[in-house]
Amino acid sequence: MVEIQKVGAEDVLNEAKQYLNKPENLSLIEKALNYANEHHAGQFRRSGEPYIIHLWNVGYILATLRVGPKTICAGLLHDVIEDCGVSKEQLTLDFDAEIAELVESVTKIGNIKFKDAKEYQAANHRKIFIAMAKDVRVIIIKLVDRLHNMRTLQHMSEDKQKRIANETLDVYAPIAHRLGISEIKNELEDLSFLYLNPDEYRRIAHLVEVKKSERDEMVKKMIEDISTMLTENNLKFRIFGRSKHLYSIYRKMTTKNKRFEEILDLLAIRIVTETELNCYEILGYIHAQYRPIPGRLKDYIAMPKMNMYQSLHTTIVGDLGSIFEIQIRTEQMDSIAERGIAAHWRYKEGSKYDANKEQKEIEEKLSWFKEFTVLTDENENENPTEYMETLTKDIFEANVYVMTPKGKVIDLPNGSTPIDFAYRIHTDVGHSAVGAIVNDALVPLNTTLKTGDVIQIRTSKQISGPSKDWLKFVKTNQAKNKIKNFLAKKEIEKRKEKVEEGEKILADELKKRGFEVKEYLDKKKLEPIFSHFQVDNYVDLMYGIAVKSINQTTVVEKVTNQKRPIMDSEFISKLMNKEPTKKQVSSRNGLKVEGIDSMMMSLSQCCRPVYGDEIIGYITKGQGVKVHRKNCPNVIGLKRRLINVEWDENVKDIKYDSNVIVIARDRNFLLTDIVTVISQYKGQLKLINSAVNQEDLTTTTKMTLQVSDLEHLNIICSNLRKVDSVISVERMFV
């Protein structure tokens, strides 16, 4: 941990002078120092120290990170709105809108009621992270503020120590990690560990200290040997041992169930050189001299982490059997590894500070966080606790790194699927996803992704949106929320359509009985009968009528207080003609025929109709009615023995067989891809037969599928047409 040093106003200015050369920048910082001193006069911390000491420390740490002058000013002023009664408008007048906006973004939420402390805390975090997505300087100020508070946490009560340490470990340390600021991340973790589990902290600290002299001797010997080898090969480098911070040792012991002695990289050496080429040269010499442990080589230079971290990692066995982790990197990589995004700006800018370049780098390096601004915009009323759970799961726990076909790295939590990937790319990509290609192979959408996978999402504008089944396997809360929101909106639209349908049914019934539609199709008029039908409102009543759970005749009788209908001309005509009541016959195939007492019906095997097809019945001799598709060649042109047949909407859960023929250019794994698509869209393959035409090298694949209805069949056929090398997909007549 960093030893706490006494910091004053002069230290802030002196540190800023190391990289800010323009006098106006230093004058601005000096003005902020004086402003903070004036407004916080008479305020003290729990320790008894003047409050201004905390602000000097925040300003000093920000300067060591080499941030811009306005960020340092905002750090020095970050409590004046909350604690000194200075308004954002006043701060804008005294400084400028940019500094005032930064200070306001860091300020806690006030004057809003929350159900509990957890929701209040989550709301504060959400405010900060939304601001962060727009301007990363907000979270850098907050991280530095939290770091100094953690350094002085001993003055708080034990309850507050644990609460603040928990929050730091759950939220602030992961954010520091994602920004690549390992200096702050490591110290925040160790300080949190100290207050949350002091006994275990001291035990590990003691174990580290006991083994220190022994480890130091082994590391010293290895450094000498490697230095001799690299010097002989004329390589420029600096080499030193490094120690693992205590919380990372504890975490490896608990998550991997290892004893202290088994943590491989307790003996760690870092080699810093000039160029990337030098890094690989050094790795080659080390592997030639020492035996590397299989599976422990990691190349973060070729494939940097999302927080810009770059380095080569390898684990080797020393001469006496000791195990060393070796990190090899350039000077720039080393600085970025310690100070993250701030160091990256400094190297890009050279010795001069340039606000425009800084902002451009911010936007580029925070692309991984921009998605959560969109997430928040789409869910403005979302519970802040749910938002924080999404953020924690999808960003802080992300440790699977996959790529787009263009090489862009996307990070996801363990267990993520192509659908999670699709929604991370864009909401519309997720909504229209119909297939996924991982490492050039078509895979099911529920495939678990691995680091290094290259993923391409196939989309279609024809599909109606995400499937409810996706919720069973998606991993990220982001994908779950997007799917749920889409399905909820879809349900609202469907319900609206049903309500309109119910209104039409009721209006027709009122007209049929001679009642005035406007008089009785009125919400206030219908309200007294809601309880009779066990509904709460007008919408539920109309929906019930549409889905036939409520009888429209009974509704009319209740609202008009008339049992007998007023006889219209159609009703009188029926009485005069004494038409016999038509009987309806339904079959187990979901078919119905009106006007016939009994009839055996079956689906024709030649064209195999499915629910939704236009159909016609043919009366056979001795086999009842055979039902064909209207475009079946066997019935086209016939005029006799045909009978009208309809699908029975009340018969559900029937599966229908359909014959499909696929013509494609022959290639490896074609059948596998076809079967995968059918399975992906929940079709059941009952029969398949494929043959290759040697003349033109095309394949003809005939199969019998079992589907729910015509829409289901069309979706499968549509996606089969998208399979690579497929020429045509058609339903087949036998």
Side-chain angles (χ1 to χ4, degrees), residues 596-632:
I596 300 176
D597 287 339
S598 63
M599 184 68 66
M600 182 174 71
M601 288 180 287
S602 60
L603 297 173
S604 168
Q605 296 297 303
C606 61
C607 57
R608 288 196 156 159
V610 301
Y611 183 91
D613 276 324
E614 291 188 16
I615 51 177
I616 192 75
Y618 177 74
I619 303 173
T620 67
K621 294 180 179 179
Q623 293 183 353
V625 174
K626 290 286 185 182
V627 177
H628 295 256
R629 287 154 57 194
K630 280 190 175 179
N631 63 345
C632 178

Side-chain angles (χ1 to χ4, degrees), residues 69 129 152 270 292 331 436 496 501 520 584 602 655 672:
F129 294 135
T152 56
R270 183 173 300 161
E331 291 286 356
K496 185 180 177 183
E501 186 182 331
Y520 290 101
Q584 178 175 295
S602 60
K655 298 292 183 183
T672 303

